[in-house]
Amino acid sequence: MRTKFLLNFILILLFVSCSSSDDGSTGEFIVADVDTLNFESSNTENAVTAAKIESTESTSYIVQGFDDASNSIVLFISAYDGPGTYDLNFNEDNNGISGLFSTLQATWSTSGGSGGGGSITVLTDETNETTGEFQFIGVDANNNSSTRTITNGSFRAFY
């Protein structure tokens, strides 16, 4: 199951990184406090992208953003069911829901290892636009003692 999730996650990341938003980056953003760093998505075109992928079995939702220093935040919900709060706690039953913070040197994820967790709250999902809030603790899968705390997160993205 973990391999299937990782494969789906990578495929969705590739899809989203190649897609473009409806109107560039106008009005789209991801902001958060990452430990002592203030993450703010870049104003460049496609710095924030989102996708809602519907199949007969389920709907997946992903939003990602990059800042000017090439750091990124990715929020992924594999069993998306519209606005509401989604649990990011690390366990086999979280249905592929994860938060991820990445720098050029390392990646910290709620699915990276024991100790990761948090939540994503999708506030609105209307006319190809979503807004929401998030907070999580990401764990480096290669070093469980390395964590990043992401707080005061919010986003607005078009898909």
Side-chain angles (χ1 to χ4, degrees):
M1 177 165 163
R2 192 164 188 82
T3 303
K4 181 180 176 183
F5 166 72
L6 289 174
L7 179 60
N8 286 335
F9 186 71
I10 290 168
L11 290 173
I12 289 172
L13 277 177
L14 288 171
F15 171 79
V16 171
S17 67
C18 294
S19 68
S20 63
S21 60
D22 292 339
D23 63 354
S25 61
T26 305
E28 294 181 289
F29 65 86
I30 296 179
V31 295
D33 296 327
V34 181
D35 293 329
T36 60
L37 167 77
N38 291 320
F39 180 94
E40 184 175 336
S41 55
S42 175
N43 288 327
T44 61
E45 186 175 350
N46 296 325
V48 175
T49 56
K52 187 165 34 168
I53 302 159
E54 298 180 37
S55 72
T56 56
E57 296 175 13
S58 68
T59 299
S60 296
Y61 175 75
I62 186 168
V63 62
Q64 66 181 3
F66 300 93
D67 68 9
D68 290 329
S70 298
N71 300 315
S72 63
I73 289 179
V74 179
L75 306 170
F76 177 71
I77 304 169
S78 64
Y80 181 69
D81 192 29
T85 299
Y86 296 86
D87 186 9
L88 294 172
N89 292 328
F90 177 73
N91 61 46
E92 291 295 323
D93 297 326
N94 77 349
N95 294 319
I97 301 169
S98 65
L100 175 141
F101 173 73
S102 182
T103 67
L104 294 174
Q105 292 79 31
T107 298
W108 297 267
S109 171
T110 58
S111 58
S114 171
S119 64
I120 302 169
T121 301
V122 177
L123 299 171
T124 62
D125 183 357
E126 299 173 357
T127 318
N128 298 330
E129 175 186 346
T130 56
T131 62
E133 301 171 337
F134 61 93
Q135 56 83 29
F136 62 90
I137 296 172
V139 178
D140 182 340
N142 298 316
N143 179 1
N144 277 345
S145 65
S146 177
T147 63
R148 292 294 179 264
T149 302
I150 292 80
T151 57
N152 301 314
S154 63
F155 65 89
R156 178 179 183 217
F158 304 112
Y159 56 89

